[in-house]
Every structure is written in C-alpha cells, then in structure tokens.
Amino acid sequence: MSSNERNEDEDETFSSVFTATDETNCEDESPPIPNWKFHPDDQNTTSTDTITTNMNMNLNLEPNQLSEYEKEIEYIEKLSPTHYRINIGFVPNMKVPADIIVNHELEKLLLLELQESILAKSTIPNYNTSNNNSNNTSNNKSTDKSTDKKSKKKKPSNPSFIPALKQMANVAALPGIIRCLAMPDAHSGYGFCIGNVVAFDMNNPEAIISPGGVGFDINCGVRLIRTNLVEEQVKGLKREELVQTLFNHLPVGVGTEGVIPATTNDINDILKNGIDWAIEHNYAWKEDKEHCEENGVMETANPDKVSSRAKKRGLNQLGTLGGGNHYAEVQVIDEIYDDHAASVMGISTVGQICIMIHTGSRGLGHQVATDALQTMEKAMSRDKIQLNDRQLSCARIQSQEGQDYFQAMSAAANYAWVNRSCVTYLIRQAFEKVFEQSAEEMDMHLVYDVCHNVAKIETHIVDDDGQEQEQEQEQEQEQ
C-alpha cells in the first residue's frame, strides 16, 4: 500500500503510486552509476543483460554519496533476467535474503528510490549518516545548497523516507521470518514495501505479525465484473450518461457516507460472516462468493476484538470507494493472450466491457491498524523485540496482542469483502438504469475478487537447506 492508500480516509487528493518522472537530472559531468552485481551462475544471461543504470537516473550524487551507493549495491545480485536478490548484510540483522521479481523499468524505479534516500540524508542538516561529514561544516553547507538547488524536486518530502530495497531488507530482519519476496509492483510503502510478501514459521515462538506488513487499509483489493456489452454500445451520449449515473450511485471521496443501511448488529454480523451477510441481504449474488479469495470470509475473524470506534467508523461507509487511489473503472478488453483462460472467465472478445473495483475496509480497517499499533508498542518493549524500522511495529504471533490483532484484522477483511460487494450492487443498478436491461441479462458476473493487504495462516511446501519440507503452519503477510 502506498502512503495515499494508508491514509485514504485522511488524504483528500487523488494521487498515483511512486513513478519515475522526466525531471531527473542527466548532466554529462555526472559520475557514472556502477552496475549491479552479476551472478556468475546465470548461464543464460549475457553481459548485455547486466544491469546498467542510465545516465538520466543519476540524481547528481556527490562523490561521497556515490561511494555510499556503490557499497550498498554490492549486496544486490542478478539471478536471472527478472530475478534479483538482496543478500544478507545490506541492512543489520537480516535473517534471510530478500528476492525481487523485477523488469528493467521497475529496476530503474528501485534504484532511483535508493539514490533519493542517499541524497535526502546528505541534504538534511545534522543528519547522522553512515558517511559522517560533520568535520567540515563549511563544506557541508556549500554542498547542501548545491544539492538542494539541483535536486529540489528529487528529494522525498519526508526526511525519514526509506526506499523499497531497504524496506524489504528490514523486513528480512524480522524475527521468525523464513521467506521475503517482492512482487513486480514493488515500491516504497509503510514499513513493508508495496508488493512485499513474506512468510513466518508459525512453530517458531519468535515469529511476529506486523500491522505495517498488512497495511492500514486492511483487505484493500480489486475485483473484476464482466458484461456482454461491447465498446460500441458505450460511446457518445451513452458513455456520458453511464459516467454520470455511476457518480450518482457511488459515493466517492474521503469521509463519504454510503447509502447501504446497517445497524450495529449488522456490523458485527458483517465482521464475522463477510460476504454471506451481503448475500443474505441481496447485495451480492450467491455465485459471487465462489469467485472471492477465501470465499469472501476469513473464519479467523472475531468481532469482539474490533474496537467500538472502528465499528462506528465502518457503520456508514458500506458501498463507498473512499479516496486515495481507489476507483471504479469501466474498462475495455483490448487484447486476449490466452483464449482458453479468457473463455473460462467469460471474456470472449476484444472490445468487451468490464468493470474493475479497487477499494478496501475504509475507516474501519484504518482504525483496527491504529488500535493495534498502540498495543504493540508495549508488547515490543516487554518482549524486547528489536527492529530496524519503527514502522514495522509488531508482536509475537502467538502472544495475546498478536492474536487479538490477527482476529481483528480478519474481521476487517470481512468488512472489505462486503464493501466491495455493495459497490458491485450499486454498479449493477447503474448499468440496469442506463442500458434498460437486468444485470443478469448483461451477464454482470464476478470474475474474481482478490485482496492485497492481508495476513493469513496457510500450509506450504518450503525448501529447507535444499530439502523439501512441509511446514504445517506458515503465516503469510502481504502488502
């Protein structure tokens, strides 16, 4: 989750996740950026595949900054054209390496973040960096002015900005961790980087659970609804009518209240039973459940672990998108890569209209995370848990605080499935009004609903010293 996802009930702007811009400075006199370490065992990769950062990615690093950058990327190696590894030692206390699935474009973004963090440290007065240059105050002042002038638009707005590469390495230092991965959407987040997926050994008493790993918008996720409409039917005045009708039906923006009525008893039922509540109240089709991750309900939920304040925040927000980068988007299929897979999902032709929804547990989930962080600070002190980053605040998974959070988080995840179901209900109504057909006639079935901010208990086959071993209980946290 990006910062705007994390604060979606507080941030009133629509903004995108971190992307590279054309504002990066590419002066010819800038020192060259070295290659990432090349893994000798990669037989299928030629020297042309070695990662070389283009000159336009150099944020005018000074010699001491470049030296720090060189030392850091020595820990990063390329295992295949799309698989990279951060080795132990990149940050203190790493228990396992961190693996990244990345393409060339994402590689540039991750390196830019790392350079930005080095640049920011050097331009903050009295910042205690690993390359302490405080012996020459006058030179520092001169460098600060020069760097500020050249890189004014490059520095992160938050001096405590941590790049994704550092964040995933900090996660790899957490107690009880056995796997640390970053998916192709990796970029800097809160505690965990966005796209971080990690596994902890549930049989290890040191293993932890972290709200920073799950995110503040618990079970923020996406769902796709298909139709049998084609692009030609959604053009001109019909398109304008559809857009306006969707706005009329769907409450959007920070702090908005929904049109789906719910009582306190309803909230408890929603937190416990997830999408089953929506089906019972005719806000979802029975078959929708079959296309949701976890069938739309986490059985580990306990509404009693959710605070009254969190429940109050969720009472009037069912069927709302919220702010941040959340959306309901009418989309057009422009290419089909796998005919068989597409046909199974009911997608049969180029030009077919689908609807994608991206939203989560709204203020209720945000409050669950906030409540948990307050109790985990005390648990960390009691259990003497040491972290590289305070945003990774956590508790032993088997502790009372850990179990309380896990059960409350599961309940918030159930709320998110109901919220997306209610948004779907309103979208089906809007399409019915505009096209004067029933949702069933327009084949508005759910294709999938998956979450990306969640922690679950799963059983997996894990590799232990080269041997396959079944791990009976493995906790997976995703952000």
Side-chain angles (χ1 to χ4, degrees):
M1 53 174 281
S2 61
S3 58
N4 49 302
E5 285 179 283
R6 174 167 58 92
N7 296 312
E8 64 95 3
D9 284 302
E10 301 171 4
D11 186 347
E12 296 187 4
T13 61
F14 283 80
S15 56
S16 63
V17 296
F18 174 86
T19 56
T21 70
D22 293 328
E23 298 173 342
T24 49
N25 199 308
C26 53
E27 295 179 358
D28 292 337
E29 64 268 28
S30 303
I33 301 297
N35 296 341
W36 285 20
K37 185 177 179 182
F38 180 73
H39 196 274
D41 294 336
D42 185 6
Q43 301 294 328
N44 298 320
T45 306
T46 65
S47 58
T48 57
D49 292 321
T50 305
I51 302 181
T52 304
T53 305
N54 295 329
M55 290 298 294
N56 65 357
M57 290 176 58
N58 186 351
L59 301 183
N60 291 297
L61 299 180
E62 299 294 333
N64 64 310
Q65 298 165 345
L66 182 61
S67 176
E68 180 180 352
Y69 180 74
E70 289 177 336
K71 291 177 182 178
E72 292 193 339
I73 64 174
E74 278 294 314
Y75 289 96
I76 306 172
E77 62 180 328
K78 181 175 184 178
L79 303 179
S80 81
T82 56
H83 183 185
Y84 305 89
R85 174 166 292 165
I86 302 174
N87 286 309
I88 293 175
F90 186 62
V91 300
N93 306 316
M94 286 180 69
K95 310 292 191 302
V96 296
D99 288 347
I100 318 162
I101 308 301
V102 61
N103 60 20
H104 182 63
E105 292 303 312
L106 181 58
E107 166 211 325
K108 292 191 292 185
L109 298 183
L110 295 176
L111 289 175
L112 275 171
E113 285 189 347
L114 186 59
Q115 291 181 51
E116 284 184 331
S117 67
I118 293 173
L119 187 61
K121 288 192 297 184
S122 301
T123 54
I124 299 171
N126 302 321
Y127 193 100
N128 183 21
T129 66
S130 57
N131 295 331
N132 191 341
N133 298 317
S134 59
N135 293 334
N136 193 334
T137 305
S138 61
N139 286 344
N140 279 344
K141 290 181 179 179
S142 176
T143 301
D144 286 348
K145 291 179 181 179
S146 173
T147 308
D148 282 344
K149 183 178 179 179
K150 291 182 179 180
S151 60
K152 184 176 180 181
K153 295 182 180 180
K154 319 302 183 303
K155 291 189 301 178
S157 59
N158 185 351
S160 62
F161 171 79
I162 303 176
L165 293 172
K166 290 280 188 179
Q167 286 185 320
M168 62 184 80
N170 286 336
V171 169
L174 289 172
I177 192 167
I178 56 175
R179 289 290 184 276
C180 182
L181 306 172
M183 299 296 101
D185 59 340
H187 58 279
S188 182
Y190 180 88
F192 282 46
C193 75
I194 311 307
N196 224 165
V197 180
V198 303
F200 294 89
D201 182 359
M202 292 287 288
N203 293 325
N204 185 340
E206 300 291 307
I208 60 90
I209 186 169
S210 171
V214 173
F216 277 69
D217 190 2
I218 295 168
N219 189 2
C220 181
V222 293
R223 63 166 45 193
L224 183 70
I225 306 161
R226 70 175 187 246
T227 77
N228 56 19
L229 302 172
V230 294
E231 187 176 8
E232 288 297 320
Q233 296 172 273
V234 190
K235 281 191 172 182
L237 294 177
K238 184 65 72 173
R239 175 176 174 173
E240 294 180 12
E241 181 186 359
L242 177 60
V243 171
Q244 187 58 56
T245 304
L246 286 170
F247 268 108
N248 292 342
H249 279 69
L250 281 177
V252 298
V254 178
T256 53
E257 294 188 358
V259 296
I260 306 296
T263 65
T264 301
N265 288 335
D266 285 327
I267 289 295
N268 286 324
D269 196 4
I270 289 167
L271 295 176
K272 180 65 178 177
N273 299 313
I275 197 173
D276 290 335
W277 181 91
I279 294 171
E280 181 182 343
H281 289 77
N282 297 316
Y283 294 121
W285 296 353
K286 188 174 182 180
E287 58 266 34
D288 289 350
K289 179 182 176 76
E290 301 171 7
H291 298 276
C292 291
E293 184 175 347
E294 297 291 315
N295 286 323
V297 57
M298 290 187 69
E299 303 292 345
T300 48
N302 184 350
D304 293 339
K305 301 300 182 181
V306 178
S307 69
S308 57
R309 176 172 173 77
K311 292 175 181 178
K312 183 178 179 180
R313 292 185 67 177
L315 190 61
N316 299 316
Q317 291 191 327
L318 285 174
T320 64
L321 288 174
N325 62 357
H326 292 168
Y327 60 81
E329 183 175 85
V330 179
Q331 301 178 338
V332 179
I333 302 297
D334 60 10
E335 189 171 358
I336 295 177
Y337 296 96
D338 186 322
D339 290 334
H340 175 70
S343 65
V344 170
M345 292 184 282
I347 297 171
S348 57
T349 182
V350 171
Q352 186 172 342
I353 296 296
C354 294
I355 305 101
M356 183 170 283
I357 298 167
H358 177 209
T359 189
S361 51
R362 305 289 280 111
L364 184 144
H366 194 287
Q367 190 63 46
V368 167
T370 301
D371 294 341
L373 286 172
Q374 294 174 354
T375 61
M376 286 187 178
E377 287 290 336
K378 298 177 182 178
M380 286 174 56
S381 177
R382 181 195 66 214
D383 296 335
K384 297 180 173 56
I385 300 174
Q386 300 296 319
L387 303 175
N388 290 346
D389 177 11
R390 286 179 60 86
Q391 289 184 348
L392 295 174
S393 186
C394 59
R396 307 286 187 210
I397 181 62
Q398 301 297 356
S399 70
Q400 187 63 55
E401 294 85 358
Q403 287 296 300
D404 286 351
Y405 169 70
F406 182 59
Q407 293 172 32
M409 180 225 68
S410 300
N414 290 344
Y415 179 94
W417 274 305
V418 173
N419 185 39
R420 287 197 290 275
S421 295
C422 291
V423 170
T424 301
Y425 168 79
L426 296 171
I427 287 175
R428 285 168 172 162
Q429 280 193 333
F431 269 71
E432 287 177 335
K433 181 177 181 180
V434 172
F435 294 99
E436 298 180 344
Q437 300 180 63
S438 70
E440 291 84 357
E441 289 174 324
M442 288 181 285
D443 194 36
M444 297 186 71
H445 289 277
L446 182 62
V447 177
Y448 60 73
D449 181 302
V450 293
C451 48
H452 47 246
N453 285 5
V454 72
K456 298 190 292 184
I457 298 176
E458 299 181 342
T459 299
H460 289 278
I461 301 297
V462 297
D463 186 10
D464 182 37
D465 296 329
Q467 302 294 321
E468 285 195 347
Q469 168 187 333
E470 184 169 352
Q471 187 66 47
E472 290 300 331
Q473 283 188 313
E474 179 180 302
Q475 175 201 356
E476 180 183 88
Q477 296 184 41
E478 301 178 29
Q479 180 172 336

